[in-house]
Amino acid sequence: MRWSQLLIPTLREAPADAEIASHRLLLRAGLARKLAGGIYTFLPLGLRVLRKIETITREEMNRAGAQELLMPALQPVELWKRGPRYVAAKPVMFRAQGFEEKKEEESELVLGPTHEEVITDLVATNLNSYRHLPKTFYQIQTKFRNEIRPRFGLMRAKEFSMKDAYSFDATDEAATVSYQKMYQAYERIFARIGLKAMVVEADTGVMGGSFSHEFSVPCSVGESEIVFTEDASYAAAIEKAVSLAHPRDNPTQSLSLEKFATPDVVTIEDLTQKHAVAARDQIKTLVYLCDEKLNIFLIRGDHSLNEAKVGALGFNEYRPATAQEIQQALGANPGSLGATGNIKKQIHQIFADETLQNQKGMVTGANEDGFHLKNVDVVRDISVDRFCSLRTVLEGEKSLEGKPLAIQRAIEVGHVFKLGTKYSEALGANFLDAQGKSQLMVMGCYGIGVTRSLQAVIEQNHDDNGILWPTAIAPFPVVITLLDQTLLADAEILQKELSNHGIDSLLDDRDERPGIKFKDADLVGFPIRITVGEKSKKAGGVEMKLRHQKESKILSLTETVAWAADYLKEK
Ligand code: ATP
Ligand code: MG
């Protein structure tokens, strides 16, 4: 392949809206171009990388026993309504409507953001015996999501490529085995494409299900956060992470409740500043509307509520209650709220963070503007329905085993879920067991962001001059930089020889200055550069240089080809 014939529009400067290194390099190296916010065209070099990642992904999926199929992007909304999470998924879906069609709900189509509904329906109507199980299906397909803030190029796009897989098993134990196979396949895929990903326990979110892991690439520009111990004995996504809270002095004796005036208090901080109540001695009362009912969430004043943990309690829809909803239910404004006394008529359930268990001598709002209560004994004064983990882990805390925790930003590149029977139940994926009894299939679902992973590789492998592609997915493993047009024949022989050894190369035959060619070779990031020019010819051959090393050496043409073949074989 020749550079002069391919569309490789390298840029000296990236467009101003490209905020992170990998996004800038994606555009500068001529791998992709933006059509509109969150929508990208892959150019020839970018597409070559994408195809290589897809090939590795396919090989590992097939090796793990999954079978490939291809499902449609257009999906009837009616199917989603039969499924278990239409309400929660709706905001992210694009509606697809023919111009001429009436706006009848029934005739509506959506563009699939993911495919649990479609695959479960397919399996429900085509597999019905324990003899058919286990089965794992996968596809590599374009997904559509109406992301509110598409950004960072391919990292958070509206249209992106995902490898999604779905497992169906007869029993819970068998489903765990299928889950482990995918988990191991994911480890192999990320290792092979050159991404150092960390596995963290994850929240099951809108998917539902019993447990899940995320594959995350630690990176300062990541949009998620992970929490882990140095020895990685514990690692979890921030939505899921738990820790030992900084302790507070818990009085042994319970004193009687006492109301005191706090006209000047709206925040936790105010109560600390003006009434000398430490944040950790306060109870924060947060009111949320969850599936149309008001619920209270209590946490310590020095903690913050982790909304994902609210979702993990099983609510489909939840949001903070408005000041008006709160005023109507509790008769006070945020700042003076509390959960003591008889409030259960207005409030469906009271959830409290584990750190509040058995706590005494605390301060909370009196549900009367301008008043607080002291000496609160949580067991005695608040009818908590359930204690659970509700707070976000804080910097400087320790893991449950007492090891220091680090919190770091990360890019989520893959996610595996053990789903259980949520989807099979809703969509009727049953089978007859060996005794002829009807049972629900136990499911798992697994996703890799293929295009996001591509950009994450760039984010993890670049320097000031450009990308450093891992050889397995480089657009070409070798670039031949031709410095002198009179030596074109030599360059062609070299390219032919490389090809005879199964090595793809790109011949930079452009009529450009050497400086520009070297800069572009570094920018695109080919692992091996072979320079054909007068100087090296006089010295007896061609110049060999690895992208990640400064030194170069002159080798004869035959030596060069043998060396490149050896180098690439080892990789
Ligand atoms: P996120 O938390 O980043 O929004 P998600 O949890 O919604 O992702 P999944 O539904 O688990 O994502 O999708 C599987 C994989 O698809 C993710 O691990 C991620 O790599 C990729 N992915 C998800 N949303 C996008 C997007 N908008 N653009 C590019 N890749 C995405
Ligand atoms: Mg996810």
Side-chain angles (χ1 to χ4, degrees), residues 54-67:
E54 288 171 358
T55 301
I56 289 171
T57 305
R58 275 200 179 90
E59 283 171 9
E60 294 302 333
M61 282 293 117
N62 296 342
R63 186 208 295 266
Q67 48 188 300

Side-chain angles (χ1 to χ4, degrees), residues 99-115:
F99 278 116
E100 74 288 358
E101 279 173 41
K102 288 185 294 205
K103 280 231 164 58
E104 280 171 25
E105 282 265 298
E106 287 68 32
S107 66
E108 259 182 41
L109 295 168
V110 292
L111 287 172
T114 171
H115 281 71

Side-chain angles (χ1 to χ4, degrees), residues 77-94:
V77 77
E78 168 274 328
L79 174 59
W80 278 84
K81 284 183 183 163
R82 280 199 282 131
R85 45 124 188 217
Y86 174 60
V87 174
K90 210 173 153 186
V92 87
M93 288 199 279
F94 283 109

Side-chain angles (χ1 to χ4, degrees), residues 82 120 123-125 127 423-431 440-441:
R82 280 199 282 131
T120 311
V123 167
T125 49
L127 300 180
Y423 293 81
S424 30
E425 197 172 341
L427 294 157
N430 298 72
F431 67 99
L440 287 173
M441 293 186 202

